[in-house]
């Protein structure tokens, strides 16, 4: 490695802290320095690299494309170092696993299986953060995340847990049993979507129905969305896998279904995992394999 080509470590740390927190003030607190020192270090790093890392033209600074790429590299590099330090010093052995996931996945997939994990690993503590917010995976913080995507997540390892198409569903008590062929016909009904997402409005826009939903849109946690859809309180755009039993039983109708299947992926930082995280990671993948094999 050509060490003389590497930027000063203090500048990289300051930029990585800013990229993580989104604020020079918060980054300064994280590194116990002033916000002015963070700004100076970032400017020094830009001068060293000869490229802008922040766009300062607007009212609020934004990272440039080069800045985002460098931030990903910093998270990967510093994360690997911090993870190895934790492994060597065993400081993290007793820290609970922190898992970030959506409320719908937590209620529909994780909770029915969690007793099995508790039975197999009673010594491991687990903290589940059921939020649609995309939380960064970082040493000392979120260890694992479950997110719905098409596969692949830059800088992270991704393993498929549940594959599922996106469907538009509703209770027959709301829409009846007659055919619905045009998405525009659904404008006369109320809509539901999982809090923190824009699935309903995005789907309608993709179908060429750009006008606002006249009957309103209710955003609520995924587990409550399930109950509301079954009760006929609105039309929902969601992953089919968690509603298959309701669909087969006739409690919900599939009105439209996307052709491209995505899935819920278990995301983790690359590199060595601490023992508790490694145990949960292996357990989750075994559960996914059992689902596929129908065991």
């Amino acid at each position: 490695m050509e060490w003389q080509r590497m930027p000063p470590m203090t500048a990289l740390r300051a930029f990585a802290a800013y990229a993580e927190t989104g604020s020079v003030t918060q980054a300064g607190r994280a590194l116990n320095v002033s916000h002015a020192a963070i700004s100076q270090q970032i400017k020094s790093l830009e001068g060293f690299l000869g490229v802008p890392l922040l766009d300062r033209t607007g009212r609020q600074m934004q990272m440039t494309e080069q800045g985002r790429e460098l931030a990903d590299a910093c998270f990967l590099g510093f994360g690997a170092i911090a993870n190895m330090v934790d492994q060597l010093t065993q400081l993290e052995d007793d820290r609970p696993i922190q898992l970030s996931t959506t409320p719908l996945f937590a209620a529909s997939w994780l909770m029915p299986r969690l007793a099995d994990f508790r039975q197999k690993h009673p010594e491991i503590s687990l903290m589940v953060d059921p939020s649609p917010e995309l939380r960064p995976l970082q040493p000392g913080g979120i260890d694992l995340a479950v997110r719905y995507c098409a596969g692949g997540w830059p800088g992270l390892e991704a393993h498929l847990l549940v594959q599922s198409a996106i469907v538009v569903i509703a209770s027959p008590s709301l829409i009846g049993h007659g055919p619905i062929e045009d998405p525009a016909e659904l404008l006369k009904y109320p809509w539901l979507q999982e809090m923190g997402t824009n699935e309903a409005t995005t789907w309608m826009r993709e179908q060429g129905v750009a006008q606002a939903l006249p009957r309103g849109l209710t955003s609520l946690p995924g587990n409550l969305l399930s109950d509301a859809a079954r009760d006929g309180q609105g039309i929902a755009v969601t992953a089919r896998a968690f509603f298959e039993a309701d669909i087969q039983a006739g409690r919900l109708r599939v009105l439209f279904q996307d052709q491209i299947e995505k899935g819920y992926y278990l995301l983790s930082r690359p590199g060595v995992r601490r023992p508790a995280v490694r145990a949960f990671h292996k357990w989750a993948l075994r559960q996914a394999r059992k689902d596929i094999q129908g065991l």
Side-chain angles (χ1 to χ4, degrees):
M1 182 178 292
E2 297 183 30
W3 293 104
Q4 294 183 357
R5 295 187 58 193
M6 293 291 293
M9 184 62 67
T10 52
L12 287 173
R13 289 176 68 231
F15 175 71
Y18 169 81
E20 181 181 78
T21 62
S23 162
V24 291
T25 300
Q26 294 295 331
R29 290 174 182 169
L31 295 179
N32 198 27
V33 299
S34 68
H35 70 274
I38 296 294
S39 297
Q40 185 59 41
Q41 289 291 349
I42 294 176
K43 290 179 181 178
S44 173
L45 182 59
E46 289 175 318
F48 184 95
L49 298 173
V51 296
L53 301 175
L54 299 179
D55 181 359
R56 301 175 175 83
T57 58
R59 295 182 60 184
Q60 185 174 0
M61 290 190 300
Q62 301 287 337
M63 282 195 291
T64 63
E65 181 178 356
Q66 296 95 327
R68 289 191 293 270
E69 292 174 350
L70 181 59
D72 289 341
C74 286
F75 291 150
L76 184 62
F78 285 135
I81 294 171
N83 194 38
M84 182 53 66
V85 169
D86 290 334
Q87 293 295 321
L88 294 174
T89 59
Q90 296 183 342
L91 292 178
E92 291 233 293
D93 282 356
D94 296 329
R95 187 173 68 85
I97 301 170
Q98 295 192 46
L99 172 68
S100 174
T101 182
T102 65
L104 181 60
F105 183 89
S108 302
W109 191 92
L110 180 60
M111 295 309 298
R113 295 166 172 78
L114 198 54
D116 181 78
F117 179 76
R118 292 261 52 89
Q119 182 180 9
K120 290 181 170 62
H121 300 281
E123 77 287 358
I124 296 178
S125 296
L126 177 66
M127 294 176 59
V128 179
D129 177 22
S131 169
E133 179 183 357
L134 296 178
R135 301 279 302 279
L137 274 66
Q138 56 192 20
I142 299 297
D143 297 293
L144 300 167
V146 177
R147 288 291 176 256
Y148 188 78
C149 58
W153 205 277
L156 298 175
E157 293 184 5
H159 297 271
L160 181 65
L161 295 180
V162 179
Q163 190 170 40
S164 177
I166 286 289
V167 291
V168 180
I169 56 174
S171 169
S173 65
L174 175 69
I175 59 167
H177 296 276
I180 295 178
E181 300 178 356
D182 186 350
E185 297 178 50
L186 302 178
L187 288 173
K188 60 185 178 182
Y189 298 104
W191 281 71
L192 309 167
Q193 73 178 8
E194 187 167 8
M195 187 176 296
T197 74
N198 55 1
E199 292 173 337
T201 49
T202 297
W203 186 85
M204 292 295 280
R205 186 171 59 250
E206 290 174 347
Q207 306 307 310
V209 184
Q211 69 184 90
L213 300 171
R215 292 293 305 277
L217 174 67
T218 302
S219 296
L220 64 173
N223 56 323
L224 299 183
L225 178 144
S226 304
D227 294 337
R230 296 183 188 105
D231 291 343
Q233 296 182 29
I235 296 172
V237 182
T238 187
R240 176 168 182 149
F242 301 140
F243 295 88
E244 195 63 50
D246 294 296
I247 293 169
Q248 297 302 323
R251 290 185 291 268
L252 291 170
R253 284 184 57 191
V254 175
L255 308 179
F256 297 94
Q257 177 168 317
D258 284 355
Q259 297 301 315
I260 300 176
E261 288 201 353
K262 298 182 181 179
Y264 284 87
Y265 284 79
L266 180 62
L267 307 179
S268 60
R269 297 189 304 272
V272 179
R273 302 183 184 96
R274 59 192 178 100
V277 175
R278 186 165 61 246
F280 184 89
H281 193 276
K282 289 182 177 179
W283 171 83
L285 296 187
R286 283 198 300 267
Q287 293 294 312
R289 285 194 295 271
K290 288 181 179 179
D291 292 345
I292 294 172
Q293 295 167 0
L295 299 180

